[in-house]
Amino acid sequence: MSTELPPVAPEVLAEAVENLTARLRKKLDAATEDCAAAAAREADGSVTVRFGEDALVTLRPGPSGTVTEAGQATCSCLLAPRCLHRAAALGAAPLADAAPPPPAAEQPEPEAPTESGPAESTGPAPALTEAQLGAATALWHAAAEALAAGVTAGGAVVQAELLRAAHTARLAGLPRAEAAALRVVRGLRAARERRATQRLGALTGAFRELLHTAGVLACGTAEPALTGTARRAYAPGGSLQVHGLCREPVLSATGYGGVVTHLLALDGARYSVSDVRPGGLARARGAGSASVSLGGAVLDHAGLARGGLRIVGATVSAEGRLGAGREVRATPLRGTLWTEQPAAPLFARPAAEAIAELLADPEGADSALLGCDVTVVGAAGEHLLVREARPDAPLLRLLPAHPHPELPHTANLRRIAGYPGLQLRVLGRPDLDRAATLRPLAVGPVPGAPYTLRLPEEWLGRADLGYDRLQGVHFPPRADAPGPVAAAEGPDPLADSPLWRVRRLLETGVAGGRRAVAEAGRGTAPLASFGPLRRAGLTAAAELSAALAAEADRRPRNAFGRLTDPSPDGYAWAWLAAATHLAAAERSLVAASWAVTPNGTMPTAP
């Protein structure tokens, strides 16, 4: 997509496509492909896209830089605004995030806890309103149609139907469902454009989340966290004393960039201060040294990551994000080492125990931080292999937290890989989609270790891998390295499991739609695909996969050849059942990959 085109609100695009005739909708995908190259920015800040000699589309974004109203997109042709040109230009533009909610004073008291974090509840799941039920049902049907179409047939019209349903979900007060739908639309766009950063597995996970969210909501009841909230609610947090752990660059696919600084209170509670705005990579790189806008504190994010704050009148969201309200007052504190309170307990227990605790609370698992001491083994492809500094600990794989080449994560890990035997203290985010994999955010020396990092005193014992660049002077002489490090890597319970056959079937459906799954399940292929699952004891996975293939091929017709049941709902439910079972099984194998075994290798797959 061209960077010349401004982001477009989902509801604006959905309305433009909905207003097209059936004949024009068939031409929309082809018309969209040529728009980005024809875009030009005008002196008044608008963006124009020319279609031949008689049609000129003009996009005039609002103060936020986004096209948020239908009137901000015009065309000079006679059919406007119900013309192909206008819909094509809007469809070629990046998809903006959902519109911000109204101010707090204008919002009614929420009926359900927010997406920003699970809330305690002792009663039954809340009943949804009639509007929410209707929105959830419409979103389920749109998601099922998109899944049945797959990437190959999931063009602008299918995406517009999802966007329309997502907008309805937002208006009904279901922002989590809306966010899930937007992720699917962005994934479909990226897959159809063959972007290098798009992974089919990620789109498969997005479809699973959307179908699960919409399906449960459409049933009439839902857990509080499943409804979500469009507004990050901040509650009074009283007086706090927090100390910096590290800072992390933020770079989103929607053009936002910035930094989040992770903090820890004396009681072990985790907080964060973020500064994320439009600007992409340039802003992500520069925000690491930007001033912290919190209670008049005079320090930047680099200083906060190695310092602390005493806050009076704090406001805190449910996920621990600190707000900058008018009554907030903050005073800088001296920094503390990772060996001191409150950071020391993060590195005091085996990683396997921390992972087991995270997997028991899936809502907070993806954003949690894990600390451990490791010994560097060396590079293995894209991985940096390390071994936790505990008896019989398995090998762990370190991957860049942010793989963008302009951020220093990858370069820092490559430099570390050149020092086998180096002892490191690592703080990072577990990758729960891979076996024994950690994405480090910061590293430091291991206390008392003879062969470890030698960081400048002002770095306070840690290097932020997303901002600090490790140099040769930060490492000990290679002549001081200990003897050879055991590098034998045990089996990967996730990669070696026959569950990959289920994953391939699900991804086949996402890529090629229902027809591709039906073709994969015909003939003798099912015996070859599902037999290994049964022999490995994965009977449920085999049965769910067989049921999915059978449902995909079930197309009953009457005597005139017309489909008697054209609805994709049955297929979507079968796909969701197999995907949910696969996710649970893979999480179990990931947990096993962190476990300690008698010989220090990973447990074998079933």
Side-chain angles (χ1 to χ4, degrees), residues 151 184 187 191 197-209 433-434 503-504 506-508 510-511 575 579 582-583 586:
V151 172
V184 168
T197 57
Q198 173 61 29
R199 293 191 304 115
L200 188 57
L203 181 54
T204 302
F207 262 112
R208 183 186 70 242
E209 180 183 359
D433 293 326
R434 297 170 181 257
R503 191 183 315 113
R504 184 174 65 179
L506 294 171
E507 292 180 354
T508 296
V510 170
W575 187 95
L582 175 65
E586 290 185 334

Side-chain angles (χ1 to χ4, degrees), residues 165-184:
H167 180 60
T168 304
R170 178 167 70 89
L171 295 179
L174 300 174
R176 178 165 177 172
E178 180 206 19
L182 294 183
R183 279 192 289 273
V184 168

Side-chain angles (χ1 to χ4, degrees), residues 399-405 407-416 465:
L399 284 177
H402 298 275
H404 197 287
L407 296 174
H409 290 92
T410 301
N412 282 331
L413 290 185
R414 286 174 179 168
R415 186 173 286 274
I416 292 172
L465 296 179

Side-chain angles (χ1 to χ4, degrees), residues 142-215:
E145 292 285 357
L147 178 69
V151 172
T152 54
V157 175
V158 171
Q159 295 170 26
E161 292 297 327
L162 267 176
L163 293 178
R164 169 63 68 183
H167 180 60
T168 304
R170 178 167 70 89
L171 295 179
L174 300 174
R176 178 165 177 172
E178 180 206 19
L182 294 183
R183 279 192 289 273
V184 168
V185 173
R186 290 191 177 104
L188 286 172
R189 284 187 165 196
R192 288 176 64 84
E193 294 169 6
R194 302 180 185 274
R195 296 183 202 168
T197 57
Q198 173 61 29
R199 293 191 304 115
L200 188 57
L203 181 54
T204 302
F207 262 112
R208 183 186 70 242
E209 180 183 359
L210 173 59
L211 289 168
H212 169 74
T213 303

Side-chain angles (χ1 to χ4, degrees), residues 31-58:
T32 301
E33 294 178 359
D34 301 328
C35 291
R41 186 169 296 277
E42 304 299 330
D44 61 354
S46 63
V47 176
T48 59
V49 181
R50 179 167 293 280
F51 292 82
E53 298 181 357
D54 302 325
L56 181 68
V57 176
T58 303

